[in-house]
Amino acid sequence: MTSRRQFLKTASVVTAGALVTPSALASGKASPLAAAAPASGKRIGLQTYSLGVELLKDLPNGLKRLAAAGYNEFELFGYNEQAAGFGAGGRDGAVTIKAADYKKACDDAGIKILSSHLSPSIREYKSENFAQFDEFWKKAADLHASIGIKYMVQPSLPSIKNDEDAKVVCEVFNRAGEICNNVGIKWGYHNHSNEFVRVPKAGEETPASNDPMARMRARGEYIEQLFLDNTDPDKVFFELDVYWAVMGQQDPCEWLRNNPKRFRLLHIKDRWIIGDSGMMNFPNIFKAGYDIGIDGWFVEVENGSKKGYTQFDAVCESAKYLSKASFV
Ligand code: MG
């Protein structure tokens, strides 16, 4: 990323535990709508789920406001197959914007659409349904390719009770990856916290209560690890949501360092506004991401309507924090 050199220059002054709090929030004085962040020259991405229908109902003005706050890359959500566009993922089905119109509006605002989140509505991962999955991903890949999107990412976890379930899911993932590769798109998977639940090997679900070794075996493997182990690196990459990894009692930096060729994108997320909780070690997270050569990252803000902030306020405040941060 373009900001890596700057990061390396300043890394020596960032201590491992330096958790910076957005100054405007710490002081309690500045309005979140105070002057937009200065043009930082940084790539600052946003997952548009953070805004939902609030963005879509007045897209041109919303994009202008986000660009002024420092955002210049998007990861969309709300792919709508019937409408050949992007909506608010059921939060308001009435607002859907055609893919070409969405791209034009982003081009006009100087925002590049790098990635997109989407999941098939087919629930059962079994071989009888493979053709249906393929059809979903083929249609989606064609639409995404038509507006030059580089990454497509599934953010939802299918039902997995053991390692065999995970292997079937991975077969669908590999097929999706191949379909996307055929039109020049890379296919990835995004975690929440449930991927850091361990599942046992098939047949070892119920260990004898008096056999400690059986109980150890039944702890099994993390779903995220099973996904890493059973997908083809040429077809499937991973996007690490660093907040949900922490919620899954994991060190996101460790997962990045242990799988340097698999993680390509990050979700930069906190309890609320980025940097506000002080619980996420973003200096270390960005360093680990840059060290393995990630290709992008996206701010994700949820629950931004607290404390009198609109969701837009929280999203813009997050960009301001990251624009100023020496570790980005
Ligand atoms: Mg996320």
Side-chain angles (χ1 to χ4, degrees), residues 47 75 117 155 190-192 239 241 244 267 269 300 302:
Q47 163 52 252
E75 181 180 71
H117 268 202
H190 159 288
N191 64 282
H192 289 86
E239 178 179 60
D241 187 309
W244 285 120
H267 265 202
K269 180 171 158 62
E300 185 176 30
E302 288 186 80

